[in-house]
Amino acid sequence: MVSKRLSRLEGHRRKFMAVIDGTPECQRAVHYAGRRAKNSNGGLVLLYVIPNGDFQQWLGVEEIMRAEAREEAEATVAKIAQIVRETIGIEPEVVIREGSAAEQINAVIEEDRDVAILVLAAGSAKEGPGPLVSSVAGRAAAFPIPVTVLPDTLTNEEIDALC
């Protein structure tokens, strides 16, 4: 059970969350979430999750690998945040976590009670729509807030028209 959302109370605003995972479809999710946030006077949260399974080395090597992964995450999210500022005109919140994507998404939702909608975009690769969309569709990772899944065929112009 999710904590009560506060986004409709005075002093709060509804936030849309997009997960940054390096896939081409995440750009569409960010664009949609950003447009919805701007058009509804809400906020945008960009979440990047560093997989924790990548650091099973000797302690010194593990620390270096973790620092490099963090630097890469920060650079990736900074680039996307700059695109959001330039194209949409809003300042996104950036959250970088380490662990399982589903667990960290749920943790951010629980911690930030203004996050009200998770936005994902389906991929068009032969492997399927993407791990997060697949997990939602298969109910392996049900999230406690509404999830908007964008089709893989929408252009930014079509997204703008929908928002």
Side-chain angles (χ1 to χ4, degrees):
M1 181 155 198
V2 70
S3 302
K4 180 181 175 189
R5 301 289 89 194
L6 302 177
S7 57
R8 296 290 183 192
L9 299 177
E10 187 174 332
H12 294 269
R13 63 186 182 146
R14 177 174 58 176
K15 294 179 184 177
F16 296 80
M17 183 166 60
V19 179
I20 309 304
D21 60 5
T23 61
E25 58 267 18
C26 90
Q27 294 285 346
R28 285 194 318 282
V30 169
H31 189 80
Y32 180 86
R35 286 286 179 206
R36 288 289 315 274
K38 182 173 183 169
N39 291 346
S40 65
N41 198 30
L44 172 62
V45 176
L46 302 176
L47 172 63
Y48 189 107
V49 180
I50 301 167
N52 60 4
D54 293 346
F55 309 117
Q56 304 298 322
Q57 305 292 328
W58 297 290
L59 187 58
V61 175
E62 177 182 338
E63 290 174 8
I64 291 169
M65 291 175 70
R66 183 171 272 119
E68 288 173 349
R70 179 78 183 194
E71 287 176 20
E72 180 182 335
E74 289 171 355
T76 300
V77 176
K79 181 179 176 184
I80 292 174
Q82 185 60 34
I83 292 169
V84 168
R85 286 184 209 100
E86 291 172 358
T87 61
I88 301 173
I90 62 172
E91 184 63 39
E93 294 177 40
V94 171
V95 178
I96 299 175
R97 297 288 182 93
E98 186 178 316
S100 155
E103 289 174 8
Q104 294 307 316
I105 290 168
N106 279 315
V108 171
I109 291 167
E110 183 61 30
E111 293 164 17
D112 186 344
R113 293 174 45 195
D114 288 340
V115 174
I117 298 175
L118 173 62
V119 179
L120 304 173
S124 57
K126 64 182 176 187
E127 294 84 27
L132 286 175
V133 173
S134 294
S135 68
V136 170
R139 300 183 59 94
F143 298 107
I145 59 174
V147 178
T148 300
V149 179
L150 299 174
D152 65 341
T153 57
L154 292 178
T155 65
N156 281 349
E157 294 75 26
E158 291 169 326
I159 290 171
D160 292 345
L162 290 171
C163 293

